[in-house]
């Protein structure tokens, strides 16, 4: 695998950065958390597990998508300027380099320090005699009955090997047979067997990887034959698919989703991770079977660990619960300081409430929904749901509302990647109870986060609305930073009511007043705002663009920012993950700065702020600046008009730009440099500072002097 100088020149010459190469840079920033000296071993293992999970999804979706082009001879030109074959070569080199750094760090920096922290990863042979007996008993009573050797030879078809499971490839020869009569059998380790067998000593926990337990006793699965080699490997399959839905969302649609979920289990193999010392005969057989090249084979050192996601078992052990630094308790919302004592319905009739999670709890939303479920004056509840926690209190409240005779409409996005099965199950529960459930809209994903509660109060009807950037998920609300607005504002209530009529019925929307929606108008309106800033700059008026999003990929949006930069508009972007824009390129983007915040919480909120010569426009919502967000999803951004709430949102931007602990500054070539405090400058960590925020601290916030 050689990436030529010409290929690198092509990549750097492009005014856009490859989405996939940018994503790998993002995972490197997550991996950088593993190397932070101030983090203890358990925090480091947590981030190691996250990088592994991220990489699994990257191969399933992004590399899987690339193979869709390669396998069917379709043309794909990446933002880097490279065609599909050359781009795959570059992508695999970067992935292999990252994979190597992961395992070197694990072996050289993490493993040597585990014993002093109270645990050891061990194979069976290093255990005490009595511990080996315990392992043997565990294997034969609990593990052995779960294992099924599957032979592949002239009489048996090639078995279906599952995505992301640990698998042993065992090569055997019948006694007296020649070597060319060897056979290959596969032993998959079921996912419901714990990743490690735990042995508790007085001062230390011993973790024995399940593959070592099985390896020690694998002979019991292959009696009266010679075992030539035992090879541990793991495969990643293509998980990218496009649903071909018809406009009629009938019951066949759910069956289509279920069918596609099953296809994930048998999709083409895009990566093989295999333990070093493997059989070349076996790997050649697998390569031929799965039509895969050497660049997609990732070698795991024997002293390392296959599949770092299993480390969650270590991190989650109750013995070490005090080792992960606790998150401070949530503070009351700045606009709702008496959240624990006041009635949420009464509060919202007089003022709006802005929530900033996880610094503010999700409780006000749950309080509103649960009160609505029981309030005899509430007539209807409408809601969009993208991702839910398991055993969701949201669903329980909606079920209670239906039981209490209220009209409940829920748009369940059953195409939310990797949450499809949970969403289908919960949607069916609601539907069975009498809720009006919509399973997505045509070929669009519904990603917008909206809640509408209709309540009859004396002689009028009041609509209570929640709009947000985050999912209605109690678990992620404690680790994702998101923004939500609770309001009875009539303008927003009309907009949200209109939007629900569009997505639940057959209605073409009129113009929204304070809502930007996609796929209808969002890209064009945002570009209009960018162009207005450029016009102000050219006319000598004050201008400025401040955006905080997860991903920046849409080329039309990016080139609008380039034009604004050339007009003299100062542009500051906070982009956590993928960023296809090149900042600081002479003649193109000198006035654009990009930072990425990666730390204790996952930055998930989206904010678009345009200075507009002092008459600012500030929008918050669920949409990133991506083609999928603008063209392939139902998305919304809502305008924050109330002055005090807009200042709170502006302060979120200001704090992000001040951070010198979690911030990485993007360079023109697509690399990132960790931002450090300047000499004499105080450490400023937003994941701590937001817990200290008071109303007085945001009273004079300014983004443009």
């Amino acid at each position: 695998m050689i990436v030529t100088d010409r290929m690198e020149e092509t990549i750097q010459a492009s005014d856009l950065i490859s989405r996939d190469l940018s994503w790998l840079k993002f995972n490197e920033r997550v991996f950088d958390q593993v190397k932070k000296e101030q983090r203890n071993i358990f925090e480091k293992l947590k981030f190691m597990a996250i990088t592994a999970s991220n990489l699994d999804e990257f191969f399933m979706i992004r590399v899987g998508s690339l193979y869709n082009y390669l396998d069917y001879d379709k043309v794909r030109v990446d933002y880097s300027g490279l065609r599909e074959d050359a781009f795959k070569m570059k992508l695999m080199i970067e992935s292999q380099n990252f994979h190597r750094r992961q395992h070197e760090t694990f072996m050289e920096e993490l493993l040597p320090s585990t014993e002093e922290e109270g645990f050891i990863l061990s194979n069976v042979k290093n255990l005490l005699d009595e511990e080996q007996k315990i392992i043997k008993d565990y294997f034969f009573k609990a593990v052995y009955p779960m294992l099924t050797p599957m032979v592949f030879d002239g009489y048996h078809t090639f078995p279906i090997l599952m995505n992301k499971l640990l698998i042993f490839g065992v090569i055997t020869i019948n006694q007296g047979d020649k070597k060319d009569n060897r056979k290959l059998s596969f032993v998959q380790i079921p996912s419901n067997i714990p990743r490690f067998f735990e042995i508790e000593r007085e001062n230390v926990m011993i973790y024995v990887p399940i593959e070592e337990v099985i390896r020690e006793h694998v002979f019991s699965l292959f009696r009266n034959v010679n075992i030539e080699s035992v090879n541990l490997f793991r495969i990643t399959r293509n998980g990218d698919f496009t649903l071909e839905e018809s406009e009629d969302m009938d019951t066949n649609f759910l069956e289509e989703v279920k069918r596609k979920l099953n296809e994930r289990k048998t999709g083409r193999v895009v990566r093989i991770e295999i333990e070093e010392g493997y059989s070349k005969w076996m790997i050649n057989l697998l390569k031929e079977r799965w039509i895969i090249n050497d660049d997609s084979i990732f070698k795991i050192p024997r002293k390392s660990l296959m599949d770092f996601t299993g480390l969650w078992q270590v991190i989650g052990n109750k013995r070490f619960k005090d080792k992960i630094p606790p998150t401070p308790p949530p503070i009351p919302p700045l606009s709702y300081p008496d959240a624990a004592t006041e009635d949420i319905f009464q509060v919202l009739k007089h003022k709006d409430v802005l929530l900033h999670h996880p610094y503010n709890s999700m409780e006000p939303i749950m309080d509103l929904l649960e009160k609505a479920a029981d309030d005899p004056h509430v007539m209807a509840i409408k809601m969009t749901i993208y991702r839910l926690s398991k055993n969701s209190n949201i669903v329980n409240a909606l079920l209670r509302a239906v039981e209490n005779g209220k009209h409940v409409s829920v748009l369940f996005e059953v195409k939310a990647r990797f949450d499809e099965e949970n969403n289908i199950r919960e949607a069916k529960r609601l539907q069975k109870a009498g809720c009006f459930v919509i399973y997505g809209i045509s070929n669009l994903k519904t990603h917008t986060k909206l809640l509408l509660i209709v309540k009859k109060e004396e002689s009028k009807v009041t609509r209570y609305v929640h709009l947000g950037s985050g999912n209605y998920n109690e678990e992620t609300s404690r680790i994702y930073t998101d923004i939500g607005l609770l309001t009875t504002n009539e303008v927003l209530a009309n907009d949200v009511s209109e939007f629900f009529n569009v997505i639940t019925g057959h209605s073409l929307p009129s113009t929204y007043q304070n809502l930007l929606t996609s796929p209808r108008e969002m890209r064009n309106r945002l570009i209009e705002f960018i162009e207005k800033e450029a016009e102000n700059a050219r006319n000598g008026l004050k201008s400025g663009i401040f955006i905080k999003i997860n991903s920046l990929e849409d080329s039309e949006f990016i080139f609008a920012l380039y034009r604004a930069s050339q007009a003299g508009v100062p542009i500051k972007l906070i982009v956590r993950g993928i960023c296809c824009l090149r900042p600081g390129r002479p003649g193109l983007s000198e006035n654009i700065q990009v930072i990425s915040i990666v730390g204790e919480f996952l930055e998930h909120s989206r904010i678009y702020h345009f200075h507009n010569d002092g008459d600012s426009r500030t929008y918050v919502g669920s949409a990133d600046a991506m083609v999928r967000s603008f063209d392939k999803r139902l998305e919304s951004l809502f305008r924050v008009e109330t002055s005090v709430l807009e200042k709170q949102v502006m302060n979120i931007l200001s704090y992000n730009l001040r951070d010198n602990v979690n911030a990485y500054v993007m360079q023109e070539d697509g690399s990132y440099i960790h931002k450090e405090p300047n000499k004499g400058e105080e450490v400023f960590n937003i994941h701590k500072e937001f817990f200290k925020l008071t109303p007085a601290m945001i009273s004079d916030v300014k983004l443009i002097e």
Side-chain angles (χ1 to χ4, degrees):
M1 285 192 300
I2 299 174
V3 173
T4 65
D5 290 341
R6 182 68 178 273
M7 288 168 60
E8 289 294 350
E9 288 172 6
T10 300
I11 292 170
Q12 292 306 319
S14 174
D15 286 337
L16 297 172
I17 290 173
S18 161
R19 167 181 174 165
D20 295 333
L21 294 177
S22 178
W23 184 92
L24 287 173
K25 294 295 183 187
F26 159 67
N27 211 29
E28 286 180 5
R29 298 194 293 281
V30 179
F31 180 60
D32 191 48
Q33 309 307 305
V34 178
K35 295 175 171 291
K36 299 288 186 186
E37 291 183 3
Q38 67 270 27
R39 297 194 186 281
N40 65 37
I41 187 70
F42 298 95
E43 294 175 281
K44 292 177 179 181
L45 292 178
K46 177 184 76 172
F47 282 104
M48 183 68 85
I50 291 171
T51 65
S53 179
N54 287 347
L55 202 59
D56 282 349
E57 183 173 342
F58 177 74
F59 270 88
M60 288 178 64
I61 305 305
R62 298 305 306 163
V63 178
S65 174
L66 180 57
Y67 267 105
N68 290 341
Y69 289 87
L70 292 165
D71 289 343
Y72 297 99
D73 294 322
K74 292 184 179 293
V75 174
R76 178 187 188 272
V77 181
D78 185 73
Y79 275 0
S80 65
L82 299 178
R83 286 283 302 273
E84 53 278 0
D85 286 301
F87 181 69
K88 176 180 176 286
M89 184 185 300
K90 172 65 175 174
L91 201 61
M92 289 302 101
I93 287 174
E94 296 295 328
S95 299
Q96 290 277 7
N97 289 339
F98 179 78
H99 166 88
R100 186 185 66 255
R101 291 194 299 274
Q102 272 186 311
H103 287 276
E104 286 175 353
T105 299
F106 182 72
M107 292 185 297
E108 297 170 10
E109 300 180 27
L110 301 185
L111 276 182
S113 60
T114 61
E115 187 168 2
E116 63 189 55
E117 296 291 345
F119 68 96
I120 299 173
L121 269 62
S122 174
N123 61 30
V124 177
K125 287 183 170 58
N126 290 334
L127 298 175
L128 302 174
D129 289 344
E130 58 267 29
E131 292 169 343
Q132 292 190 31
K133 290 177 182 177
I134 294 171
I135 287 279
K136 184 177 181 179
D137 189 57
Y138 170 69
F139 173 80
F140 282 105
K141 288 185 177 179
V143 178
Y144 179 83
M146 299 278 286
L147 303 179
T148 304
M150 299 173 289
V151 67
F152 169 59
D153 58 17
Y155 302 99
H156 300 82
T157 59
F158 196 91
I160 295 176
L161 301 181
M162 304 302 286
N163 186 37
K164 299 193 300 181
L165 288 186
L166 297 181
I167 305 167
F168 279 111
V170 182
I171 300 171
T172 57
I173 304 173
N174 286 331
Q175 294 178 7
D177 279 2
K178 296 180 181 179
K179 193 170 185 178
D180 58 3
N181 286 329
R182 56 191 169 186
K183 294 184 179 182
L184 174 61
S185 298
F186 299 101
V187 180
Q188 297 189 102
I189 304 177
S191 59
N192 57 352
I193 298 179
R195 183 67 180 80
F196 299 98
F197 183 77
E198 300 178 2
I199 298 174
E200 190 167 356
R201 293 180 185 169
E202 185 177 352
N203 298 316
V204 68
M205 283 291 298
I206 309 296
Y207 289 92
V208 184
I210 185 61
E211 61 269 28
E212 298 305 323
V213 174
I214 296 171
R215 195 196 310 270
E216 185 69 16
H217 301 93
V218 72
F219 63 88
S220 62
L221 297 166
F222 299 92
R223 299 184 187 278
N224 303 313
V225 294
N226 295 325
I227 296 177
E228 180 181 290
S229 69
V230 178
N231 309 270
L232 182 69
F233 69 98
R234 180 176 183 262
I235 61 174
T236 313
R237 293 184 179 273
N238 182 359
D240 182 65
F241 59 78
T242 302
L243 289 173
E244 302 291 335
E245 303 104 351
S246 67
E247 291 185 4
D248 299 321
M249 307 308 291
D250 54 23
T251 54
N252 290 334
F253 172 62
L254 284 182
E255 296 308 314
E256 175 75 358
V257 174
K258 290 177 181 178
R259 183 176 67 80
K260 292 294 185 180
L261 287 174
N262 288 329
E263 283 182 11
R264 272 196 188 141
K265 298 172 183 176
T266 57
R268 78 105 68 225
V269 174
V270 297
R271 176 180 60 163
I272 301 175
E273 298 166 272
I274 189 163
E275 206 170 51
E276 287 181 344
Y278 55 83
S279 161
K280 291 183 179 179
W281 177 78
M282 186 192 79
I283 202 68
N284 287 334
L285 187 152
L286 296 181
K287 284 165 58 180
E288 181 180 356
R289 178 80 192 182
W290 290 324
I291 317 173
I292 198 167
N293 298 326
D294 286 337
D295 63 0
S296 299
I297 296 172
F298 291 73
K299 301 172 186 176
I300 310 290
R302 286 296 298 266
K303 292 183 179 180
S304 190
L305 182 71
M306 188 173 293
D307 186 12
F308 291 128
T309 63
L311 293 170
W312 285 112
Q313 183 180 338
V314 179
I315 302 159
N317 191 301
K318 293 181 179 179
R319 183 167 179 161
F320 307 124
K321 64 181 181 180
D322 296 330
K323 299 290 187 178
I324 299 291
T327 301
I331 61 173
L334 298 185
S335 51
Y336 188 22
D338 301 315
T341 57
E342 294 187 314
D343 180 79
I344 186 70
F345 280 121
Q346 293 302 315
V347 169
L348 294 179
K349 283 196 288 188
H350 302 290
K351 65 178 179 180
D352 295 345
V353 173
L354 191 81
L355 302 171
H356 187 197
H357 312 296
Y359 314 104
N360 306 142
S361 166
M362 195 178 167
E363 274 306 305
I365 303 169
M366 289 304 309
D367 185 33
L368 180 68
L369 192 56
E370 289 176 349
K371 279 187 167 65
D374 296 323
D375 193 318
H377 300 293
V378 167
M379 299 182 293
I381 300 172
K382 298 183 179 184
M383 193 173 191
T384 62
I385 291 178
Y386 190 71
R387 296 190 195 277
L388 286 172
S389 62
K390 300 293 190 292
N391 304 314
S392 170
N393 290 326
I394 297 284
V395 171
N396 293 335
L398 294 174
L399 286 170
R400 200 162 71 250
V402 174
E403 291 168 1
N404 289 334
K406 306 178 192 314
H407 170 78
V408 178
S409 299
V410 178
L411 194 154
F412 248 105
E413 184 45 77
V414 295
K415 301 185 295 295
R417 185 177 289 147
F418 305 125
D419 277 336
E420 298 97 337
E421 292 175 278
N422 185 53
N423 281 7
I424 290 172
R425 181 174 58 252
E426 294 301 285
K428 283 190 169 182
R429 283 180 64 202
L430 287 168
Q431 193 171 35
K432 189 175 181 180
C435 175
F436 177 50
V437 175
I438 306 100
Y439 294 100
I441 303 297
S442 185
N443 60 344
L444 302 172
K445 273 191 179 181
T446 304
H447 192 249
T448 186
K449 315 303 192 299
L450 301 173
L451 167 65
L452 173 67
I453 295 170
V454 182
K455 183 179 180 183
K456 186 175 182 180
E457 295 176 328
E458 299 174 354
S459 59
K460 67 173 185 176
V461 170
T462 303
R463 290 170 294 184
Y464 296 84
V465 174
H466 174 264
L467 313 93
S469 65
N471 302 306
Y472 292 108
N473 186 313
E474 301 98 303
E475 294 173 3
T476 60
S477 71
R478 292 191 285 268
I479 55 176
Y480 286 21
T481 73
D482 273 306
I483 301 173
L485 177 68
L486 290 165
T487 183
T488 54
N489 177 283
E490 277 296 300
V491 173
L492 275 173
N494 284 332
D495 283 350
V496 172
S497 295
E498 180 74 16
F499 196 46
F500 269 112
N501 289 339
V502 171
I503 63 180
T504 62
H506 188 257
S507 171
L508 294 175
S510 56
T511 301
Y512 299 110
Q513 286 187 256
N514 280 347
L515 211 59
L516 303 182
T517 65
S518 66
R520 183 167 173 263
E521 61 171 4
M522 186 181 290
R523 178 194 284 112
N524 291 340
R525 290 293 304 280
L526 290 173
I527 289 177
E528 284 177 18
F529 298 156
I530 294 171
E531 290 173 341
K532 179 62 175 175
E533 296 301 317
E535 180 185 338
N536 286 344
R538 285 190 292 267
N539 292 333
L541 302 176
K542 285 188 176 182
S543 62
I545 298 172
F546 300 82
I547 297 174
K548 179 184 184 297
I549 48 182
N550 291 341
S551 301
L552 174 54
E553 175 257 357
D554 184 78
S555 60
E556 290 184 53
F557 190 88
I558 290 171
F559 279 100
L561 291 173
Y562 285 160
R563 292 191 297 272
S565 171
Q566 292 161 21
V569 179
I571 302 171
K572 295 186 178 182
L573 308 176
I574 304 152
V575 186
R576 173 176 59 89
I578 296 163
C579 182
C580 299
L581 175 149
R582 288 191 187 273
R585 172 160 282 193
L588 183 73
S589 56
E590 293 104 324
N591 291 312
I592 303 179
Q593 300 173 23
V594 180
I595 67 166
S596 170
I597 302 290
V598 178
E600 199 57 43
F601 299 133
L602 187 146
E603 294 293 330
H604 194 247
S605 55
R606 289 89 164 182
I607 304 169
Y608 297 79
H609 176 81
F610 305 92
H611 183 69
N612 196 30
D613 194 34
D615 185 17
S616 59
R617 299 184 179 100
T618 302
Y619 285 83
V620 173
S622 58
D624 288 310
M626 304 184 75
V627 171
R628 73 182 187 192
S629 298
F630 293 151
D631 296 335
K632 301 176 182 179
R633 287 183 168 186
L634 284 172
E635 295 273 23
S636 65
L637 297 172
F638 59 92
R639 187 168 185 179
V640 180
E641 282 195 303
T642 308
S643 176
V644 65
L645 300 188
E646 186 179 34
K647 284 192 172 184
Q648 188 177 340
V649 175
M650 290 168 64
N651 187 69
I652 293 171
L653 294 169
S654 176
Y655 268 33
N656 274 261
L657 294 170
R658 285 177 60 188
D659 189 291
N660 53 26
V661 173
N662 308 292
Y664 295 79
V665 182
M666 186 179 182
Q667 307 301 297
E668 188 262 347
D669 65 357
S671 63
Y672 288 77
I673 297 175
H674 184 245
K675 185 178 178 182
E676 304 283 352
N678 295 323
K679 187 175 181 180
E681 183 182 19
E682 290 185 4
V683 169
F684 194 84
N685 181 347
I686 59 168
H687 295 155
K688 297 184 183 298
E689 295 298 328
F690 277 119
F691 284 108
K692 306 173 185 176
L693 202 59
T694 65
M697 295 167 73
I698 66 168
S699 60
D700 60 349
V701 62
K702 293 179 181 177
L703 294 171
I704 298 285
E705 292 297 332

